[in-house]
Amino acid sequence: IELAEQEDFNKANRQQFLRIEYWMQNHRDKWTSSSFNRDQLCTEAGVNRHLLLQCVRSQGYNDIHEYLNTYRVDELKRLIRRGKITSASETGDAGFGTVKTARTVFLKLTGVTLDDFLAHHDKEEDENETD
């Protein structure tokens, strides 16, 4: 019985997480605002804070901020690769409130500094222009 309950619990967390993922993937315009936060995600996804934390932890995230920041770092990388962000001062376009936060989170989640990522991208652009 305990194993069956655990499997049901895990399945419920996974289903809830998939609902949140769906919302995140379809509402970039909301979470790329630096004012978007955990409470707004709860409201938008229709989940209370406790359940939201429970389901993101069940998928390997430490907390809701890490979950949101994972999306923001991916968005930042996408914008840099497309040439829409060319300096750290533009990180607000991916939802970061400050450059310092963007740099800290980017390094933590990617293992690469934001400035190195930007420089590498600039170098790729320069090389592509000379081809």
Side-chain angles (χ1 to χ4, degrees), residues 20-82:
I20 294 163
E21 283 282 276
Y22 181 81
W23 187 90
M24 290 291 289
Q25 292 166 3
N26 290 287
H27 294 90
R28 176 181 287 138
D29 60 318
K30 296 209 179 191
W31 56 260
T32 54
S33 166
S34 61
S35 64
F36 188 81
N37 60 30
R38 172 191 61 204
D39 293 334
Q40 289 171 305
L41 179 57
C42 290
T43 300
E44 295 289 345
V47 180
N48 71 43
R49 217 186 312 181
H50 174 74
L51 289 176
L52 181 62
L53 179 59
Q54 179 178 296
C55 77
V56 298
R57 281 188 173 165
S58 75
Q59 300 305 306
Y61 297 95
N62 291 318
D63 56 36
I64 298 163
H65 298 290
E66 181 181 22
Y67 175 72
L68 283 173
N69 284 332
T70 299
Y71 266 87
R72 288 174 172 159
V73 165
D74 287 345
E75 177 70 359
L76 184 55
K77 290 188 317 189
R78 186 183 74 79
L79 292 171
I80 291 169
R81 287 184 180 121
R82 291 187 175 180

Side-chain angles (χ1 to χ4, degrees), residues 34 65 68-77 79-80 85 87-118:
S34 61
H65 298 290
L68 283 173
N69 284 332
T70 299
Y71 266 87
R72 288 174 172 159
V73 165
D74 287 345
E75 177 70 359
L76 184 55
K77 290 188 317 189
L79 292 171
I80 291 169
I85 289 181
S87 74
S89 64
E90 299 169 296
T91 57
D93 293 347
F96 290 102
T98 67
V99 173
K100 181 179 179 180
T101 300
R103 282 189 167 118
T104 302
V105 169
F106 195 92
L107 178 60
K108 179 181 178 188
L109 295 179
T110 68
V112 177
T113 68
L114 176 56
D115 295 318
D116 285 348
F117 190 86
L118 282 162

